[in-house]
Amino acid sequence: MLSPTTKRASLLASGAAVAGLLLSSLSGGVSYAADNESCRPDGLYKTPGVDVPYCSVYDAEGREKMGADHQRRVIGYFTGWRTGKNGQDAYLADDIPWDKITHINYAFAHVDAGNKVSVGTDGPNNAATGMTWPGVAGAEMDPALPYKGHFNQLNKFKKQHPDVKTLISVGGWAETGGYFDDSGKRVGSGGFYTMATNADGSVNQAGINTFADSAVAFIKKYGFNGVDIDYEYPTSMKDAGHPADFPISNARRAGLNKGYAALMKTLREKLDRAGATDGKHYLLTVAAPSSGYLLRGMETFQVQKYLDYVNIMSYDLHGAWNEYVGPNASLFDDGKDAELASANVYGSAQYGGIGYLNTDWAYHYFRGSMPAGRINIGLPYYTRGHKNVQGGTDGLWGKAAATSCPAGSGLTKCGDGAVGIDNLWHDKDDNGVESPAGSNPMWHAKNLEKGIVGDYVTQYGFPANTQLTGTYARKYDSALVAPWLWNAQKKVFLSTEDEQSVAKKADYVVDRGIGGTMVWEMAGDYGWNAAKGQYEAGSTLTSLMYDKFKTAAPYGAKKSNKALPTQAVDIAVDFTEFKLGDSNYPITPKLKITNNTAATLPGGTEFQFDYSTAAPANASDQSGFGTKVISSDHTGGNVGGLKGDFHRVSLKLPAWQTLAPGATVDLSFNYYLPVSTPSNWTVNINGTAYALAGDLARGTTLVQPGTGTTPPTTSPTTPPTTPPTTPPTTPPTGCAAPAYVAGTVYNAGNEVSHNGRKYKAKWWTQNEAPGTTGEWGVWQDLGAC
């Protein structure tokens, strides 16, 4: 997620049980039909051989069960550092409006030096597990629990509000590439970067396994319902994330996506196995960037299939990391974004006039590969702002260039961030100097708006007789859905949120079937204290969303907005060979099609798929497959929002190109703004349309093309009737190589025996049985033993 004052996010430049089998991934894993399958969310990967207890969390339509008055999610981040022990205001678990929210994400745990999930050493000063608040009403410990601190409090209140789920959030802006030790000093250990990716760019599967095992143990120990990964950022774009991590992260850019995908797959599978044992489904979620720049370096965000839902960090879209003055979290584009205009985004035919620094764009990016209900949009309960703003309309789309950048920012050119009374929630650099950012809780912004100096200012280093300079006039742009405060005397611009903007965003969620909202962070919400005549921490905005959502229709649970075939075939499609960083424009991956069926695909076989309207309708190929957009839910620019979700694409095997069983063909695919993994695939084989099993759609039966039957028992896509309880430990008779064991990680060069034959792995693999991956797959057939 973030430490909210320093984050650099925008760098620019049906309830029937399913019959049959559902292929669990594009690479050949298979899941088993089970009663719980009827509750599996559309598109969610299921660990092969595991009866995941989805029905403990989801209903028969695959929608999350959150209580009768919670039709959409309200997810709040609850931070561990607002303890009151530092002389500033406390925000404790009893301050959370438990009846208004559905999930709490605790921020943050970190990756320790041993690649395990940690919140530091236990003890009375550990806010998560050891701290107490004697004499504070509502902060009494539950004596039935063996730990204290915030974790004790969260579980105490969950007993009173059993529909609320809690997740441990790991990482964040400051602790993605390191962690804070018990003394408060940041240790640049490498964190996610080194845990998941080796120095040579290869996957660090040993580190990932250690982390995932520790994550499972952690949530069981402390009573969490799942894990939220806040990895900022596994992108190939140079100098993304915390500047202190650049020596480690930049050296690994080429392998960060691979490591991220392996991490999420491993977490999903270990959580699924633990859930099957415990009889309850454990959630896996992420905080995902909304910046088109960062997402361009994350390929097609292939991890979406492993996630129960994604929380979009649709804020920090403008801030003091550059000179362009704009909203922190606008809902829509208005065609005037100064940052985008400076890069000629609006004037480029390739971009299609689509502005990509707004919540609506980010939502549609993810909608291309996920049901609306597995997406939550982010809202900031904090401000961003500049001082010395020049030009613009009441500061909006003006400029505020700084003469120098804060120490440790990693920037050579930056914006003039607001300071002092306009920067209450500021961070400090390593020398204790204030980082200019215009970061304030929304309750402080409301006091500025009303000309009130709250009595809390002394806790933040200001004298009791502090006087405000100038007037903070509230402004609002209905096209952007963005309020801000403009102090004309000081030339200060503070981007805010309030009832008007949050109501519009809540309506947006309801109208589009979106899963809900995520808030960073709960302590910034406001309420009016009439006795003191000032705004303080409260629940005004959270309650507004609750009221909007409690009678809403159920959220959208389907990936596709049209009917797709119920018979699926095992043809894998993968987007590979992305160029790295700034070289990845235009975006030109290889689209690799692998025929894992028993039938030869004839020349002219047509594939169709959807990709998101977050990119213009100008996708093409350079390989003779005739790739073209055949229909669009939206055309033109995106001022006021994208009107639909998908572009439909057609491509065909060239007339002379057949595709035999096990064979692979690839084409050079081109597009101009990032999209998440294209989905809703169909293939027409000899006049019959099939879905692709890798889409993981609910209600799909895996068949062999032309037969309408499930693959025979000798097919690599058919699981055993029951998964073996004890994997083989000795090789088959006559084979010297060790027997293949499902679930084991194999690296390049590892040799195994399987079904009387010997195989060698070409690269890292897990749960891909030898003899099932074809000539071009991971296993090289070395012949009979």
Side-chain angles (χ1 to χ4, degrees):
M1 182 62 54
L2 55 107
S3 169
T5 57
T6 58
K7 183 168 176 290
R8 182 188 179 199
S10 169
L11 307 177
L12 189 66
S14 61
V18 174
L21 302 172
L22 286 161
L23 196 71
S24 63
S25 75
L26 298 183
S27 59
V30 184
S31 62
Y32 300 88
D35 292 341
N36 273 307
E37 178 61 31
S38 66
C39 300
R40 182 181 62 87
D42 194 26
L44 180 62
Y45 172 93
K46 179 181 176 182
T47 299
V50 179
D51 184 13
V52 182
Y54 296 117
C55 297
S56 66
V57 170
Y58 296 102
D59 66 17
E61 300 295 325
R63 292 189 179 96
E64 188 172 2
K65 297 182 286 191
M66 298 175 285
D69 59 338
H70 289 285
Q71 297 300 313
R72 308 298 172 92
R73 301 182 191 93
V74 180
I75 302 167
Y77 274 85
F78 172 70
T79 65
W81 51 83
R82 305 202 188 281
T83 63
K85 304 289 187 178
N86 55 4
Q88 296 178 0
D89 287 306
Y91 190 89
L92 305 178
D94 69 302
D95 295 311
I96 296 170
W98 286 88
D99 57 335
K100 310 296 185 185
I101 51 96
T102 59
H103 303 70
I104 285 292
N105 289 355
Y106 182 84
F108 286 108
H110 59 260
V111 183
D112 71 10
N115 289 327
K116 295 182 178 181
V117 177
S118 175
V119 287
T121 305
D122 284 335
N125 294 321
N126 187 309
T129 61
M131 193 174 285
T132 59
W133 293 268
V136 177
E140 301 85 3
M141 294 293 121
D142 182 343
L145 296 171
Y147 44 83
K148 296 177 177 143
H150 290 310
F151 290 179
N152 180 292
Q153 294 277 284
L154 291 175
N155 282 295
K156 181 180 78 170
F157 285 103
K158 276 174 64 177
K159 291 179 182 178
Q160 302 170 29
H161 303 274
D163 287 328
V164 177
K165 303 178 184 74
T166 57
L167 293 90
I168 184 66
S169 293
V170 188
W173 170 252
E175 294 189 279
T176 281
Y179 61 93
F180 291 103
D181 65 17
D182 295 336
S183 71
K185 180 180 178 182
R186 188 175 189 271
V187 179
S189 61
F192 279 112
Y193 295 118
T194 54
M195 175 268 286
T197 307
N198 292 315
D200 63 359
S202 62
V203 171
N204 182 4
Q205 192 61 45
I208 288 171
N209 286 341
T210 297
F211 174 83
D213 287 337
S214 75
V216 170
F218 190 98
I219 64 174
K220 288 187 174 188
K221 179 177 180 179
Y222 293 115
F224 287 98
N225 299 96
V227 180
D228 177 62
I229 299 297
D230 290 8
Y231 182 170
E232 301 184 22
Y233 303 97
T235 179
S236 67
M237 308 309 291
K238 186 175 181 290
D239 289 353
H242 198 291
D245 300 329
F246 291 168
I248 295 172
S249 59
N250 283 338
R252 289 168 167 77
R253 291 290 172 198
L256 294 184
N257 274 292
K258 288 186 294 184
Y260 188 49
L263 169 64
M264 303 313 293
K265 183 174 187 288
T266 303
L267 276 169
R268 176 79 279 159
E269 293 184 341
K270 289 183 181 290
L271 289 169
D272 281 354
R273 293 188 182 103
T277 299
D278 298 344
K280 54 185 176 181
H281 175 63
Y282 291 117
L283 300 177
L284 177 61
T285 71
V286 300
S290 61
S291 161
Y293 178 87
L294 294 172
L295 291 169
R296 176 154 62 92
M298 294 180 71
E299 299 183 356
T300 62
F301 203 81
Q302 298 94 319
V303 302
Q304 48 79 24
K305 63 177 173 280
Y306 304 122
L307 308 175
D308 287 86
Y309 52 80
V310 62
N311 296 321
I312 310 173
M313 293 186 285
S314 44
Y315 38 70
D316 291 346
L317 297 172
H318 294 95
W321 43 86
N322 63 38
E323 63 184 349
Y324 299 102
V325 178
N328 186 16
S330 64
L331 180 57
F332 298 122
D333 185 63
D334 66 352
K336 303 173 185 177
D337 188 308
E339 186 172 353
L340 297 177
S342 71
N344 196 35
V345 168
Y346 297 122
S348 169
Q350 291 180 333
Y351 286 114
I354 294 176
Y356 52 83
L357 292 178
N358 58 86
T359 300
D360 177 75
W361 182 88
Y363 160 68
H364 280 91
Y365 170 90
F366 290 100
R367 179 67 183 94
S369 63
M370 304 179 77
R374 286 175 54 208
I375 303 169
N376 308 302
I377 66 169
L379 281 79
Y381 282 180
Y382 66 95
T383 71
R384 289 285 187 194
H386 293 79
K387 65 180 184 295
N388 298 319
V389 177
Q390 306 298 311
T393 302
D394 297 323
L396 179 66
W397 303 137
K399 287 188 177 183
T403 55
S404 62
C405 294
S409 69
L411 301 173
T412 57
K413 183 180 179 181
C414 56
D416 196 359
V419 296
I421 199 70
D422 303 324
N423 195 33
L424 199 72
W425 266 4
H426 64 268
D427 282 340
K428 295 180 180 179
D429 65 21
D430 292 341
N431 298 315
V433 178
E434 174 184 4
S435 297
S439 182
N440 306 278
M442 218 59 71
W443 44 266
H444 178 58
K446 292 298 289 185
N447 284 330
L448 293 177
E449 177 187 339
K450 303 301 183 183
I452 298 167
V453 178
D455 64 1
Y456 53 82
V457 297
T458 56
Q459 300 175 28
Y460 293 86
F462 298 97
N465 62 352
T466 295
Q467 300 292 312
L468 300 180
T469 300
T471 299
Y472 294 83
R474 179 188 180 272
K475 306 293 180 179
Y476 185 80
D477 190 294
S478 58
L480 292 165
V481 184
W484 71 96
L485 301 182
W486 173 241
N487 188 317
Q489 183 173 342
K490 294 170 65 175
K491 303 297 182 185
V492 164
F493 176 102
L494 296 177
S495 179
T496 62
E497 296 287 341
D498 57 23
E499 290 99 318
Q500 186 176 9
S501 62
V502 171
K504 288 289 187 182
K505 291 181 178 181
D507 289 340
Y508 177 90
V509 166
V510 171
D511 293 345
R512 286 159 181 78
I514 296 171
T517 54
M518 171 272 286
V519 169
W520 180 272
E521 58 164 303
M522 294 298 292
D525 200 354
Y526 56 83
W528 176 249
N529 185 330
K532 289 187 175 183
Q534 65 185 32
Y535 286 93
E536 298 175 347
S539 60
T540 299
L541 301 179
T542 305
S543 295
L544 187 157
M545 288 189 288
Y546 164 78
D547 289 337
K548 288 277 189 178
F549 295 162
K550 66 182 178 181
T551 58
Y555 64 63
K558 291 286 189 181
K559 265 202 303 184
S560 179
N561 58 8
K562 60 180 69 68
L564 295 176
T566 58
Q567 291 188 328
V569 292
D570 183 8
I571 298 174
V573 288
D574 296 285
F575 290 83
T576 64
E577 299 182 37
F578 286 84
K579 296 182 177 66
L580 302 179
D582 285 321
S583 298
N584 189 28
Y585 188 83
I587 305 172
T588 56
K590 297 287 188 184
L591 171 54
K592 188 179 298 291
I593 302 172
T594 304
N595 180 12
N596 293 318
T597 76
T600 296
L601 305 185
T605 295
E606 181 184 22
F607 292 84
Q608 292 187 12
F609 62 87
D610 291 336
Y611 75 91
S612 170
T613 52
N618 54 4
S620 61
D621 78 78
Q622 300 175 347
S623 307
F625 284 67
T627 300
K628 62 181 179 180
V629 174
I630 57 175
S631 66
S632 291
D633 295 341
H634 177 88
T635 57
N638 66 326
V639 172
L642 294 159
K643 302 303 186 290
D645 297 334
F646 300 116
H647 302 300
R648 189 72 177 168
V649 173
S650 168
L651 62 88
K652 298 178 181 179
L653 294 179
W656 50 266
Q657 174 82 64
T658 60
L659 198 62
T664 294
V665 65
D666 58 31
L667 63 143
S668 296
F669 192 67
N670 305 326
Y671 53 104
Y672 295 93
L673 276 175
V675 296
S676 58
T677 308
S679 62
N680 305 325
W681 285 80
T682 60
V683 58
N684 191 302
I685 304 174
N686 296 320
T688 300
Y690 301 92
L692 295 195
D695 260 330
L696 305 172
R698 286 166 53 93
T700 305
T701 303
L702 182 65
V703 301
Q704 287 289 1
T707 67
T709 61
T710 57
T713 55
T714 55
S715 167
T717 59
T718 302
T721 304
T722 56
T725 55
T726 304
T729 56
T730 57
T733 303
C735 294
Y740 168 79
V741 178
T744 300
V745 170
Y746 295 98
N747 294 301
N750 290 161
E751 294 185 356
V752 299
S753 54
H754 189 62
N755 293 336
R757 301 186 71 80
K758 184 178 179 182
Y759 297 88
K760 182 168 72 173
K762 302 177 189 176
W763 53 79
W764 179 93
T765 184
Q766 187 180 30
N767 283 324
E768 294 181 273
T772 71
T773 61
E775 179 183 358
W776 308 106
V778 61
W779 290 106
Q780 179 183 355
D781 189 341
L782 301 179
C785 295

